[in-house]
Each structure stands twice: as C-alpha cells, then as structure tokens.
Amino acid sequence: MASVYTEIDNEYLQLNNTVGVHWRNGLENAPVNPVTSGMQTVFSDDFKTMPSISKTGIGATYASAKVDEARGGMFGWAAFEDRGGTNDPFSIADNDFMQLTTTYHPTGYVRDDYWKQKVSTGYLSSMDQAGGGFHTEGGRNQYFEARMFFGPNPGMWPAFWTLTANGYVQNAYLANQPSDELDILEGSMGTPNGYQIAWHPWGYDKPAAAGYDASKLGGGYQINLDTPPFNNVNLALCFHTLGVYITKDMTYYYCDNVFVNQHKTLPFSWQYGNYFILNPALSDHYGIKGNSSDPFEIFEVPGGFTRYGNESNTYIDWVRAYQDAPGTVRFESNSSIKALSGDVVSVNVSRNDAAAELSGSYHVRSWR
C-alpha cells in the first residue's frame, strides 16, 4: 500500500561543525581558476583576523558604507552599520570567516537618517571615500573572486559586486563620472535555487560617456544551481565561489569555477579599474508589506525574514583579486558553440595585431 503524506512545511537546518578537518576552508585550500594563469595576485583577505573597518574606509582596509556619497549611501531595508558601534555587524567566526550579521530590532528603529530601518547589517567596500584602499588598475585584464555562504532567511539579498574606481566622493570630477556595476552575485534567499548576475551602465547621460548607448550595454542572467554542474547545491546549502574575469573585449562570470555567462566589457570597467563590495542586504520582495510611513509594521509575517528568528548570518571565507601586467594579451571569444557527441565542429582561429606574434601548441578540450 502506498504511503500517503502531506507536506506541512520545509525549512533549512544549518549547523556549523567546529571540530575535525576544516574541509576546503581558507585561501590555502582555494582552487585556482585557470583563467588566472600568469596573473598577479593584487589583493587577498582570508578573514582569519578582523581587518580594519571604518565608515569612510580612509586609513582602513574596508569602508562600511558606500563610498560615492559623503554620508555613506544606502539601499535595501537593512541599514549598514559601523564597526564597533552599538549594532556592530562584523565578527570573525572560528578564526576562519568574516561573519556579517543581519539583525531585526522589533522594539525600535536602528537608523532614522534614511528610511527608519529596523534592521542592521554589514557592508565591506575595498575602496574608500578618498579613492584609496584597493582597486584594480585600468587597461588590464583582471579577476575578482570570493567564497561565500548565505543564511536561508527569506528576504535576504546578499551580493558580491564591483564598481568602477572613479566613483568615490572626494573625486573632484565625480559629478561628470559615469560608472559600471558588475553584479557577480545578486542573490534572493526567498528563492535560493539560483541567483542573478547583472551588468549596469550608470550615468551614461554625462558628457564623459558621450558616444556610448547605455541601452545596448546593460543586461542580466539567471543562474540555476539546482543542476548537475553545481551538484544540485543551492545558495543555502554550502559555500560557493563566485568570480568575474574582465578583459578588454569580454567579461566572463564563474560559479565554483564553472563558466556561467559572458558579455561585452563595459567601457569604464576596463578604463578605470574596479573595486569590490561584499554585503548582505534586505530586500522588499519577501516578508515586508507595510505602508510608506512604516514599511516594517507587519514585518513579522509567515515566510518572511523572521521565520528563522530575528537574525541571519552571511559568511565570507576569503576574497582575492588578480590583474595582468599592462599590455598582456589574452585570447578572447564573444561566442560559444554547443555540440553533441559525434558532431564535427569547425573552428576558425584569427589573431588581432597584438597576438600576431604569439606561437605555441593549443589544446581544445571537449566536455559534456
């Protein structure tokens, strides 16, 4: 007789085993993406100790707020809090991970300088408000990657992204500066089976961007992790390594060293270089249905952020960046070909002027 059952709920149980072997944790165990062969590592942080963090980032390793606005810009329903403050979201877990804690404070507002958020969270920018800190150099091939783990709370909106290095508040020419944003991961934990990558050209109505048509440059793509290439493991089940590889003509995205998409390189991400940002945030897509005066008035709804309590943790194992020496030439392609077993594929190889003198043996790899 067949069993009959009714599903009444589903949930994620996340446990942190602090004994035994630290499997694959740390930069010392990080796999290397082959595209970085020959590149120089120009930034790395394995978060075994707490880095220096301040709101502006000036004189510190990271800024804890956006660096393109003097008061530290804001987005989402969780306020970005400072290191060392009353609602400090930063901690080092197990001497191994940066833990960014997102907390709902139901008894009072956390911040009233933007839109009276009752949720606090953390934000890490590698560049500061004076243009210092870390960013890659313009005109070079570059690669950014981070290994991250995400709390399952619906409403969480974690991200790993880059902005062009011209976008800092003390840039005297900021008002005339366009900017390119590359979202290496934009997650929505209400639907953790996948995530989005996106590329955004901002401020292309400014004279510095004359000649570019922004409507033809932006785009996005949805990655499904519930597939064999990713072992059917979604965002809430394990760590994932996210990466972006920027070359002069093409930009490529990776998850767990698996290529997921590409697009033509946005002009200012190549011209100016980029800095990276790591943050959890809180979206209004799940569990927030309030009015304009208090969007949190019915925040505690079934299926919302608070189904796992008033707190969610995002963990960063490590982050690193590479870049090539100026003038380094790499082969690129703006198309991909899929073929079935037994198919014959013809490949025409052409070289631009910079690559004309390159010679050697080439290996073509096929996979299924």
Side-chain angles (χ1 to χ4, degrees):
M1 180 177 178
S3 61
V4 178
Y5 69 92
T6 300
E7 180 179 304
I8 59 174
D9 196 6
N10 60 71
E11 64 180 15
Y12 288 90
L13 175 64
Q14 295 181 321
L15 302 175
N16 181 17
N17 183 6
T18 60
V19 300
V21 177
H22 285 199
W23 188 59
R24 295 185 179 179
N25 294 345
L27 275 170
E28 66 274 15
N29 297 311
V32 174
N33 192 317
V35 302
T36 63
S37 177
M39 282 184 158
Q40 179 186 2
T41 303
V42 289
F43 183 93
S44 65
D45 194 342
D46 61 4
F47 298 111
K48 295 187 184 303
T49 59
M50 179 63 71
S52 55
I53 304 169
S54 71
K55 181 177 179 179
T56 66
I58 297 173
T61 304
Y62 299 102
S64 62
K66 293 182 89 256
V67 301
D68 54 3
E69 183 180 333
R71 62 175 182 159
M74 194 72 67
F75 56 87
W77 292 116
F80 302 125
E81 288 294 318
D82 299 335
R83 168 72 179 146
T86 303
N87 299 302
D88 188 344
F90 306 101
S91 60
I92 299 297
D94 303 329
N95 300 313
D96 219 3
F97 311 110
M98 169 61 76
Q99 177 178 309
L100 300 175
T101 301
T102 304
T103 306
Y104 171 45
H105 307 266
T107 60
Y109 292 119
V110 175
R111 292 277 288 274
D112 60 6
D113 54 341
Y114 283 90
W115 40 85
K116 298 185 177 181
Q117 296 101 313
K118 291 183 177 179
V119 184
S120 59
T121 194
Y123 180 100
L124 293 172
S125 165
S126 70
M127 194 172 76
D128 64 39
Q129 289 193 4
F134 170 74
H135 62 82
T136 53
E137 302 297 326
R140 304 188 190 200
N141 306 314
Q142 53 203 259
Y143 184 85
F144 295 84
E145 65 178 349
R147 185 172 187 256
M148 305 177 70
F149 183 77
F150 310 96
N153 298 53
M156 286 301 299
W157 182 25
F160 173 37
W161 48 303
T162 68
L163 287 170
T164 47
N166 59 331
Y168 56 96
V169 72
Q170 293 187 22
N171 182 350
Y173 303 101
L174 181 62
N176 188 38
Q177 292 294 297
S179 178
D180 293 333
E181 174 184 335
L182 305 179
D183 295 328
I184 308 164
L185 172 136
E186 185 176 2
S188 178
M189 298 309 294
T191 52
N193 278 352
Y195 69 93
Q196 180 171 289
I197 60 173
W199 47 101
H200 302 287
W202 298 113
Y204 275 53
D205 56 338
K206 299 174 181 178
Y212 294 111
D213 184 351
S215 68
K216 296 179 180 180
L217 293 175
Y221 185 78
Q222 189 76 23
I223 289 90
N224 181 11
L225 295 176
D226 192 13
T227 56
F230 306 104
N231 297 311
N232 300 93
V233 177
N234 71 27
L235 289 181
L237 291 177
C238 73
F239 277 91
H240 289 282
T241 300
L242 297 314
V244 65
Y245 174 42
I246 305 165
T247 67
K248 183 176 182 179
D249 295 323
M250 300 297 295
T251 295
Y252 309 86
Y253 296 82
Y254 299 85
C255 178
D256 299 331
N257 280 357
V258 176
F259 167 77
V260 293
N261 202 28
Q262 66 187 39
H263 60 80
K264 290 185 177 180
T265 294
L266 300 186
F268 298 104
S269 68
W270 175 255
Q271 179 177 338
Y272 291 123
N274 305 274
Y275 67 99
F276 68 82
I277 300 156
L278 296 150
N279 67 271
L282 192 61
S283 171
D284 59 358
H285 296 300
Y286 291 87
I288 300 178
K289 304 293 184 182
N291 59 43
S292 59
S293 62
D294 182 3
F296 297 93
E297 67 173 356
I298 52 173
F299 182 73
E300 300 171 48
V301 298
F305 176 86
T306 56
R307 74 165 298 180
Y308 294 107
N310 291 345
E311 186 174 288
S312 180
N313 293 313
T314 299
Y315 297 92
I316 308 167
D317 186 4
W318 47 260
V319 59
R320 63 184 172 186
Y322 303 78
Q323 68 181 18
D324 269 329
T328 301
V329 177
R330 290 178 179 260
F331 290 104
E332 300 184 84
S333 171
N334 62 0
S335 63
S336 62
I337 299 173
K338 295 182 179 179
L340 299 176
S341 177
D343 288 351
V344 176
V345 178
S346 297
V347 179
N348 295 319
V349 178
S350 59
R351 296 176 176 179
N352 57 24
D353 292 341
E357 297 182 1
L358 295 179
S359 63
S361 299
Y362 300 92
H363 173 68
V364 178
R365 183 178 65 179
S366 63
W367 65 92
R368 58 179 181 174

